[in-house]
């Protein structure tokens, strides 16, 4: 059989998603996620204008060949737009292959290596009391691992911290529309001060250990804001609180910067959510400068490329921590869960539950129970887009924030 249709949809059930639908000549439908937060239409165009027509008539079973055709074929390679487009095609073809075989995708990846997938959630609060309430709520739901982000005295709204309004901490969305809910015309701007952050955070971790004990897995995201020497000092300062990981302590593209951090602390390090190929990790993995790979399946060329990246990491004892915020669609989330279940070097899975509005449009089969996820037993990825429901949510521009230092300098975020 061959590919008969490749169609791209951009829908916004609560937030924007780019979804690729591939249909075979015998009517099997596969879905792929191509969502790139704040740059959605560029990937939709890449797929519609440059990829879709090249797929028609191809053998849908030749997944590796199609991946190489899309990566090596156009000459221009890598980058988040290209790799998200390739990821969507790859996911859809794996979805089709598993549906044709009548098995959940993880069975084609070697079968289950564990019974459930340990998930971590996002707890935040503008102050410690609100953060403690959020952590308590998640622990009561059964989470054994919590990413903690909190406001810093003297700074306003910062990335990763929801307001203290009831329910808000469970619906945190960093990509902002305009204040009236319409299309954003520019990102909001936030203000950052590393000295204030470094002075505040060790006390927060001390309080969490005091209030929640020694066993809770504590994760924290530095979001690329520290210089290498600042990150080395910070990782050393928080060593007594034994974090599960410190994420993105420095801007990710400067791989050798992590050498300095490694020389000064044993705080485990995670990085990679802005990476899109295995080459972004070459130094980090071969020199064992990180402990966890943070890439999203959606931004790293799909299941085919992510499996190779994680197998490469496994040789060096480095584990997975696949990116899973709400800007990964339920299709991309399902792809992560099938990989998580199958690989040996699984570490942990990020889990920000999608809103009820999103889940009315994407029908999922994966489950969450007492801190653990499972992709389910539905053949394929186990997610279907309700195209009729999706059509009623038009694309609405929303952007991730920009970060500036207190003197106005644009800063990493
Ligand atoms: Mg992150």
């Amino acid at each position: 059989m061959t590919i008969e249709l490749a169609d791209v949809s951009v829908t916004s059930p609560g937030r924007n998603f780019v979804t690729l639908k591939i249909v075979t000549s015998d009517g099997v439908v596969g879905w792929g996620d191509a969502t790139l937060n704040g740059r959605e239409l560029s990937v939709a165009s890449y797929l519609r204008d440059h990829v879709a027509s090249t797929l028609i008539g191809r053998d849908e079973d030749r997944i590796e060949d199609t991946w190489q055709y899309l990566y090596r074929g156009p000459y221009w390679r890598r980058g988040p737009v290209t790799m998200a487009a390739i990821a969507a095609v790859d996911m859809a073809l794996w979805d089709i292959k598993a549906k044709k075989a009548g098995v959940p995708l993880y069975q084609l990846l070697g079968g289950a290596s564990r019974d459930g997938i340990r998930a971590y959630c996002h707890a935040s609060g503008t102050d410690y009391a609100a953060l403690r309430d959020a952590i308590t709520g998640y622990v009561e739901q059964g989470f054994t691992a919590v990413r903690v982000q909190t406001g810093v005295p003297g700074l306003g709204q910062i990335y990763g911290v929801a307001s203290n309004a009831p329910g808000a901490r469970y619906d945190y969305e960093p990509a902002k529309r305009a204040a009236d809910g319409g299309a954003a015309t520019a990102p909001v701007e936030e203000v950052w001060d590393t000295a204030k952050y470094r002075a505040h955070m060790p006390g927060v971790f001390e309080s969490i250990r005091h209030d929640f004990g020694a066993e809770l897995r504590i994760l924290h995201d530095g979001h690329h804001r520290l210089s290498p020497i600042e990150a080395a000092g910070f990782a050393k300062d928080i060593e007594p609180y034994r974090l599960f990981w410190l994420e993105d302590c420095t801007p990710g593209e400067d791989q050798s910067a992590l050498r300095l951090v490694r020389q000064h602390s044993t705080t485990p390090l995670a990085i990679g959510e802005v990476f899109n190929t295995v080459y972004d990790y070459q130094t980090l993995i071969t020199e064992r400068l990180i402990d966890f790979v943070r890439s999203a399946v959606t931004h790293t060329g799909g299941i085919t490329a992510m499996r190779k990246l994680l197998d490469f990491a496994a040789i060096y004892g480095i584990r997975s921590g696949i990116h899973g915020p709400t800007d990964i669609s339920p299709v991309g989330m399902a792809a992560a869960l099938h990989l998580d279940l199958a690989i040996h070097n699984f570490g942990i899975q990020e889990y920000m539950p999608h809103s009820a509005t999103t889940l009315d449009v994407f029908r999922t089969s994966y489950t969450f129970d007492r801190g653990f996820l499972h992709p389910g037993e539905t053949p394929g990825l186990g997610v279907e887009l309700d195209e009729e429901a999706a059509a009623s949510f038009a694309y609405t521009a929303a952007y991730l924030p920009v970060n500036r230092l207190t003197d106005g300098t644009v800063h990493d975020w």
Side-chain angles (χ1 to χ4, degrees):
M1 299 303 142
T2 59
I3 295 171
E4 197 166 84
L5 175 94
D7 188 41
V8 184
S9 65
V10 185
T11 182
S12 195
R15 68 163 345 284
N16 296 316
F17 295 107
V18 181
T19 308
L20 176 69
K21 177 188 187 183
I22 291 181
V23 185
T24 67
S25 52
D26 53 352
V28 182
V29 176
W31 299 102
D33 177 27
T35 308
L36 185 62
N37 203 350
R39 293 293 184 269
E40 293 88 356
L41 299 185
S42 54
V43 192
S45 166
Y46 191 108
L47 283 166
R48 271 185 192 132
D49 299 333
H50 305 293
V51 172
S53 64
T54 71
L55 297 176
I56 307 305
R58 294 183 65 84
D59 179 349
E60 75 272 12
D61 279 328
R62 295 181 62 167
I63 299 178
E64 177 72 26
D65 181 66
T66 301
W67 195 97
Q68 300 295 345
Y69 177 81
L70 294 175
Y71 181 79
R72 298 178 198 280
Y75 187 64
W76 310 110
R77 56 181 70 177
R78 307 173 69 183
V81 174
T82 298
M83 299 311 289
I86 294 175
V89 175
D90 187 76
M91 278 182 219
L93 295 183
W94 278 109
D95 191 20
I96 289 168
K97 190 181 278 290
K99 281 173 174 165
K100 285 166 56 176
V103 296
L105 175 62
Y106 74 82
Q107 293 290 7
L108 298 187
L109 302 175
S113 286
R114 57 196 47 78
D115 301 325
I117 296 158
R118 188 185 304 276
Y120 76 86
C121 57
H122 288 203
S124 71
T126 53
D127 55 23
Y128 182 66
L131 174 61
R132 187 182 56 217
D133 288 351
I135 298 172
T136 301
Y138 283 120
V139 169
E140 286 171 356
Q141 289 179 42
F143 279 100
T144 57
V146 182
R147 186 188 89 152
V148 297
Q149 307 294 130
T150 185
V152 173
L155 297 180
Q157 169 69 41
I158 56 174
Y159 167 80
V161 181
S163 80
N164 289 350
R169 66 184 63 110
Y170 300 112
D171 289 325
Y172 178 65
E173 174 51 69
K176 298 280 191 275
R177 296 179 177 180
D180 64 1
T185 53
V188 298
E189 300 201 355
E190 299 178 349
V191 177
W192 179 251
D193 186 318
T194 298
K196 285 185 168 63
Y197 167 77
R198 286 195 59 191
H200 182 62
M201 285 310 297
V204 172
F205 295 127
E206 185 177 15
S207 298
I208 295 169
R209 274 284 170 244
H210 175 268
D211 292 344
F212 294 93
E215 293 185 19
L216 182 69
R217 290 163 176 80
I218 302 172
L219 298 81
H220 177 67
D221 192 348
H223 231 259
H224 313 113
R225 291 161 190 228
L226 307 182
S227 69
I229 193 66
E230 289 168 346
F234 183 62
K236 188 175 170 184
D237 290 345
I238 62 176
E239 224 171 51
Y241 312 112
R242 289 171 293 101
L243 267 60
F244 184 84
W245 78 34
L246 171 63
E247 175 181 351
D248 291 342
C249 59
T250 54
E253 64 269 34
D254 184 0
Q255 296 187 47
S256 59
L258 272 292
R259 289 182 188 135
L260 191 63
V261 185
R262 275 294 209 224
Q263 283 162 9
H264 291 279
S265 99
T266 57
T267 296
L269 301 175
I271 210 160
E273 70 185 47
V274 299
F275 293 173
N276 41 70
T277 71
V278 67
Y279 300 106
D280 299 318
Y281 286 97
Q282 206 160 10
T283 301
L284 295 173
I285 289 177
T286 57
E287 296 189 23
R288 300 174 197 264
L289 300 180
I290 55 170
D291 301 281
F292 297 93
V293 164
R294 286 287 291 136
S295 282
V297 185
T298 302
H299 303 146
T300 315
I303 293 155
T304 296
M306 195 72 173
R307 179 64 192 254
K308 291 176 185 179
L309 165 58
L310 293 171
D311 285 348
F312 176 45
I315 293 166
Y316 294 86
I318 295 167
R319 294 189 287 161
S320 71
I322 298 179
H323 199 218
T326 44
D327 56 274
I328 300 300
S329 90
V331 176
M333 186 69 190
L337 297 180
H338 286 280
L339 273 165
D340 289 335
L341 200 66
I343 59 172
H344 179 255
N345 58 325
F346 169 74
I348 202 162
Q349 173 64 49
E350 183 176 25
Y351 180 45
M352 266 177 99
H354 289 100
S355 69
T357 311
T358 298
L359 296 175
D360 280 345
V361 170
F362 290 90
R363 305 287 162 75
T364 60
S365 304
Y366 55 80
T367 56
F368 172 79
D369 182 39
R370 303 298 301 168
F372 287 82
L373 290 153
H374 193 284
E377 301 299 337
T378 304
L381 285 168
V383 178
E384 299 293 324
L385 178 68
D386 181 334
E387 293 172 278
E388 204 175 312
S392 61
F393 296 99
Y395 167 77
T396 307
Y399 293 111
L400 293 165
V402 165
N403 196 28
R404 290 185 187 274
L405 300 178
T406 51
D407 69 357
T409 307
V410 172
H411 190 58
D412 296 292
W413 80 279

